[in-house]
Amino acid sequence: MNLLFPEFKQRIKSEEIEELFDLVPVDKESVKSYIIWLTTESEKISQEKKDQALRQARIILAISSVMHGYYVQRKKPSLFGRMYYEGTSVQNINKELRRAVLGNCFEYDIRSSVVAWKMGWAKQYIDAREQGEDLRKVFSATLNFLEDKADFMGTVQYFTFGDTSPVHKDLQPKLLKQAFTAISFGARQNTTGWQNESGGWTNPALVDIIKNGADRERFLADPTVQAYINEQSILDTHLYELVKATRRDLLSKSFLQTPSGRPSKSKILAYLYQHDETEVMDIVCEVAAQHGREPIARVHDAIFFKHKLSVDLRHEIEMTMQDQTKNPYWRLSHKQLERYEPRYLDLKMDEAAHKERIRQETIRAREHYANLSVD
């Protein structure tokens, strides 16, 4: 503990702790149950991912055991505007382990946050053109994506994969989500780029997401997808032109440039988005705090509260998000997370021990019979 966080040994002030770290309350019994589940029941996780999750769970459990039930995350702010953390954190653990760590709570996410952010600039684009265009017609596909995402994605899935695709139906929605995320950050058929969960730069093209050639051809030929790509391109270009007109300082920042030294459009858009994302999530925290509600954790465009927000409070938060940022498209979606219940912990441990005894007895029996001589 002292090696990882020597500041605590020095007994620094609470204000300094808040400046350097974020503390997350840990449901230790839930994490213990997750470890038992991971080692005795999980079947669809690769051994590599299982080992990683087990290592992370044990680190969190060990630190929270000596920190009065809290896990310590050392802050590592990104130049792009997001807050990251060094080493293991609630950001870079898998969702199941995060559920185990946080226990019973409620997660609130900005619905389709990147797309909602871009649409916040759509009216300015229409007004600047002074052609009397109907915003709903110019950005019809994007608005369909925001207003009825399930229908939008279901339709695209049907026309992309059909009944002949080798891709399993359960995997198809995940691939489409990745594809639309890539498009939202500027991807076409062979280009993209955005910052990943660990703060690094990710560049998988659409060819690396929808790998089956026939599926990808159908996806890119779909009229809805084509309209969406075109609308995203319009907004990307509008935002980049605004940067060139009003934020030229960004064009010369080395971390926003390509390896050849030219301004990277996708990196600049990611920079703008992540700064605004942080700002709007701060608004969520501020309004919640006014009602005595403090989050237990934040993960970029997601925030976690121990208890469910009332409908009125959620509405007030959304209205404040929209008013303060002049973006009417911000919405919060929510879901309940449930802890890994410890009531089966002893049973699972006994079961695991029983299986190990049976395995050892079987080995001994085989060795015994292998050593018997035939008369």
Side-chain angles (χ1 to χ4, degrees):
M1 181 68 188
N2 290 336
L3 290 174
L4 288 172
F5 310 107
E7 293 86 354
F8 286 92
K9 187 179 181 181
Q10 298 165 8
R11 300 188 184 280
I12 61 175
K13 297 178 181 178
S14 59
E15 299 82 18
E16 294 177 278
I17 290 177
E18 288 182 13
E19 186 178 336
L20 294 172
F21 307 100
D22 275 333
L23 304 184
V24 178
V26 176
D27 186 334
K28 292 189 289 184
E29 293 305 313
S30 175
V31 176
K32 290 177 184 177
S33 294
Y34 171 82
I35 291 173
I36 294 298
W37 169 82
L38 192 65
T39 53
T40 63
E41 289 187 73
S42 61
E43 297 175 349
K44 297 182 179 180
I45 307 174
S46 69
Q47 191 60 47
E48 182 182 0
K49 289 186 176 180
K50 189 180 291 188
D51 290 343
Q52 181 187 34
L54 193 57
R55 183 172 63 254
Q56 291 172 328
R58 285 171 172 163
I59 289 171
I60 292 170
L61 192 59
I63 291 176
S64 62
S65 295
V66 297
M67 285 298 295
H68 310 291
Y70 286 88
Y71 180 66
V72 181
Q73 300 180 126
R74 185 185 294 278
K75 294 180 180 180
K76 185 184 177 183
S78 163
L79 291 173
F80 278 77
R82 281 179 170 173
M83 179 60 71
Y84 291 93
Y85 302 99
E86 294 182 6
T88 298
S89 74
V90 291
Q91 291 177 350
N92 58 29
I93 58 180
N94 69 67
K95 290 183 178 180
E96 284 301 301
L97 176 51
R98 185 184 299 152
R99 173 166 78 93
V101 169
L102 298 179
N104 293 333
C105 65
F106 289 83
E107 175 182 349
Y108 291 82
D109 303 80
I110 299 179
R111 192 178 302 164
S112 306
S113 59
V114 178
V115 183
W117 170 72
K118 282 197 202 176
M119 274 303 296
W121 300 93
K123 186 177 184 302
Q124 187 186 74
Y125 166 79
I126 295 292
D127 292 345
R129 284 168 60 84
E130 298 181 336
Q131 296 181 17
E133 295 164 301
D134 184 344
L135 185 146
R136 294 200 67 87
K137 288 183 179 179
V138 176
F139 297 105
S140 60
T142 302
L143 287 171
N144 285 339
F145 180 89
L146 286 174
E147 295 170 354
D148 195 350
K149 191 173 181 179
D151 181 70
F152 180 98
M153 297 293 272
T155 301
V156 173
Q157 180 178 345
Y158 176 79
F159 286 108
T160 296
F161 299 103
D163 297 322
T164 60
S165 173
V167 179
H168 194 280
K169 285 190 179 296
D170 292 344
L171 181 59
Q172 293 171 6
K174 183 178 180 181
L175 294 183
L176 289 181
K177 182 180 179 181
Q178 291 176 0
F180 280 109
T181 297
I183 290 169
S184 298
F185 276 115
R188 297 299 175 264
Q189 295 186 49
N190 54 11
T191 60
T192 186
W194 67 86
Q195 202 172 22
N196 59 35
E197 288 295 305
S198 61
W201 198 253
T202 300
N203 287 293
L206 289 178
V207 293
D208 297 320
I209 297 172
I210 304 178
K211 296 183 178 181
N212 181 270
D215 291 344
R216 190 169 60 253
E217 278 186 30
R218 286 191 293 268
F219 176 77
L220 291 169
D222 183 82
T224 300
V225 174
Q226 283 293 315
Y228 183 86
I229 289 175
N230 181 57
E231 292 168 19
Q232 292 299 298
S233 180
I234 289 171
L235 291 170
D236 289 349
T237 301
H238 174 64
L239 282 163
Y240 193 60
E241 290 301 316
L242 281 176
V243 168
K244 289 194 290 185
T246 63
R247 290 295 310 272
R248 295 195 61 81
D249 60 298
L250 297 182
L251 303 177
S252 59
K253 292 185 182 294
S254 59
F255 66 92
L256 297 179
Q257 295 176 345
T258 64
S260 63
R262 292 187 296 179
S264 168
K265 183 177 177 181
S266 59
K267 288 185 179 182
I268 288 172
L269 290 180
Y271 176 92
L272 294 173
Y273 163 69
Q274 291 182 22
H275 273 81
D276 286 354
E277 172 198 74
T278 299
E279 178 187 337
V280 78
M281 293 307 291
D282 286 345
I283 293 171
V284 175
C285 289
E286 288 166 9
V287 178
Q290 292 169 9
H291 294 265
R293 306 297 299 275
E294 295 290 336
I296 58 175
R298 284 175 62 166
V299 180
H300 309 318
D301 66 345
I303 191 166
F304 302 81
F305 290 94
K306 199 62 185 173
H307 302 288
K308 188 176 182 179
L309 303 179
S310 69
V311 174
D312 288 343
L313 178 52
R314 179 178 163 188
H315 179 71
E316 181 183 343
I317 290 173
E318 288 180 342
M319 290 300 100
T320 309
M321 292 163 69
Q322 294 168 16
D323 291 343
Q324 289 193 16
T325 63
K326 304 295 188 291
N327 184 340
Y329 301 102
W330 295 128
R331 295 285 189 281
L332 291 175
S333 59
H334 76 281
K335 61 182 176 183
Q336 183 175 2
L337 303 185
E338 296 182 350
R339 72 197 299 254
Y340 274 73
E341 290 294 345
R343 61 179 179 272
Y344 299 121
L345 187 58
D346 293 339
L347 177 62
K348 292 298 179 186
M349 292 179 71
D350 289 345
E351 187 178 308
H354 176 69
K355 286 181 179 179
E356 179 61 19
R357 284 196 299 273
I358 295 295
R359 191 179 73 85
Q360 293 293 339
E361 288 173 4
T362 301
I363 291 173
R364 286 195 293 271
R366 286 173 180 168
E367 290 174 347
H368 173 75
Y369 285 110
N371 293 329
L372 289 179
S373 58
V374 180
D375 295 332

